[in-house]
Amino acid sequence: VLKYGALIVDALRCYHQPCFVYIPPKGELRGGAWVVLDPTINSDAMEMYADNDARGGVLEPEGIVSIKYRAGDILKAVHRLDPVCTNLLADLENKDLSGDDRDALKKKLSEREQAVQPMYQQVASKFADLHDTAGRMLEKNVIHRALDWKNARTFFYWRLRRRVEEFAFWRHLQSFDSECGQQQAINTLHRWFLEDFNGKPHLWANNECVAQWLSSKMADSNSNLKEKLRRREREAITAKVSSIFHENPSMALELALKMVEHLSPT
């Protein structure tokens, strides 16, 4: 149970650092608690993960069954699938039955229904539970990945390092291109990564590889990545100056003279 949900949502909405939500083994995230921690609150920063033995959904399986598969629906399934009930129903169709025989068959049918209904209820609950597994959540794109508990610590260590480096790269781009969104920055980084690891696109999914590559490139002022950033910065500045000239043609000559005044004689 989460308290102060509205305050948590407000804080997550404007959070500007990587944030992970992890459903641990045997853990469940349901109803209003899911709404509070949903990654769509801040898709740039938040990511959700679940253990393979975790569950998530709006309602628990029993709640889903009570709404979608009520007692009448279970009874219809029993009549359709249980051979004993099917035979008893067929016998009841006989119009030549006496009143006592009909009552006896109805009693047997009622007893059989009561005997098998709990099993059908369990099957229905298990079927509903299958919709709450990590695999199903991944299939519906509500989590980024399903994890095993024994590997979770290592995974989050390298994932966090990678996300911190990606955020730093994004902010560097924004320093000279304020309109650059995070996804645009990640796409640029992806393209440059593939240029360095030509023929090995699968390495992009390796958090350790990407984190170490990006960290080393950003730390080296002479790296090809830093040179690409400097070229990107020059292009952004040139585009801004060209935009000013285009929007204010009458000021073009004055701006050009100002620029000449600031040129170094050497």
Side-chain angles (χ1 to χ4, degrees):
V1 178
L2 289 177
K3 295 183 178 180
Y4 309 108
L7 296 178
I8 296 175
V9 171
D10 286 342
L12 290 174
R13 184 176 53 82
C14 53
Y15 193 65
H16 300 301
Q17 298 295 338
C19 178
F20 301 146
V21 178
Y22 176 52
I23 310 175
K26 306 299 181 182
E28 296 187 12
L29 188 61
R30 303 285 183 186
W34 184 295
V35 175
V36 171
L37 299 176
D38 195 302
T40 56
I41 294 171
N42 185 350
S43 57
D44 283 344
M46 295 180 66
E47 295 178 353
M48 180 179 284
Y49 299 89
D51 188 86
N52 282 308
D53 205 17
R55 295 291 185 270
V58 177
L59 295 175
E60 294 183 356
E62 291 77 10
I64 291 290
V65 171
S66 67
I67 296 174
K68 296 289 188 179
Y69 201 55
R70 303 188 179 209
D73 299 315
I74 294 178
L75 193 60
K76 289 179 182 178
V78 170
H79 290 173
R80 185 175 70 254
L81 301 174
D82 184 69
V84 176
C85 288
T86 302
N87 292 334
L88 289 172
L89 288 170
D91 292 341
L92 284 170
E93 293 293 328
N94 188 350
K95 297 181 180 180
D96 297 331
L97 285 174
S98 64
D100 292 340
D101 290 340
R102 187 174 297 278
D103 290 340
L105 287 174
K106 286 182 178 180
K107 183 178 180 181
K108 289 181 179 180
L109 178 62
S110 177
E111 291 174 349
R112 181 62 180 176
E113 289 171 350
Q114 293 178 9
V116 300
Q117 270 187 344
M119 291 183 287
Y120 279 74
Q121 184 81 25
Q122 291 177 6
V123 172
S125 296
K126 181 61 178 178
F127 181 75
D129 180 66
L130 293 175
H131 289 75
D132 296 339
T133 61
R136 186 59 179 168
M137 287 188 278
L138 184 62
E139 180 70 20
K140 300 299 287 185
N141 294 319
V142 296
I143 62 173
H144 280 70
R145 182 171 172 175
L147 301 174
D148 289 320
W149 177 252
K150 63 180 180 180
N151 302 321
R153 186 183 182 90
T154 302
F155 171 83
F156 281 120
Y157 172 79
W158 287 112
R159 183 61 182 171
L160 180 59
R161 280 195 55 179
R162 173 177 177 168
R163 291 296 287 157
V164 169
E165 294 291 345
E166 288 177 343
F167 268 64
F169 177 82
W170 176 32
R171 292 193 182 97
H172 189 94
L173 284 178
Q174 284 189 317
S175 65
F176 54 81
D177 183 4
S178 59
E179 296 183 358
C180 179
Q182 188 192 70
Q183 191 56 52
Q184 183 182 351
I186 297 299
N187 292 340
T188 299
L189 189 63
H190 184 201
R191 185 172 66 254
W192 292 352
F193 178 85
L194 294 180
E195 290 174 2
D196 275 13
F197 292 88
N198 188 24
K200 299 180 180 178
H202 62 281
L203 291 178
W204 179 251
N206 187 319
N207 291 315
E208 180 179 356
C209 177
V210 176
Q212 292 181 338
W213 170 80
L214 185 53
S215 177
S216 62
K217 292 292 185 180
M218 293 296 287
D220 183 3
S221 60
N222 296 320
S223 67
N224 59 343
L225 187 140
K226 276 298 187 68
E227 179 56 36
K228 291 174 181 176
L229 284 172
R230 287 191 287 267
R231 184 167 62 248
R232 182 82 174 259
E233 183 175 4
R234 289 194 296 268
E235 292 173 354
I237 293 173
T238 301
K240 288 180 181 179
V241 173
S242 298
S243 176
I244 293 173
F245 283 169
H246 179 73
E247 294 175 2
N248 303 277
S250 60
M251 298 177 61
L253 179 59
E254 183 178 349
L255 289 172
L257 292 174
K258 290 287 186 182
M259 292 172 64
V260 171
E261 289 177 1
H262 287 84
L263 290 178
S264 172
T266 58

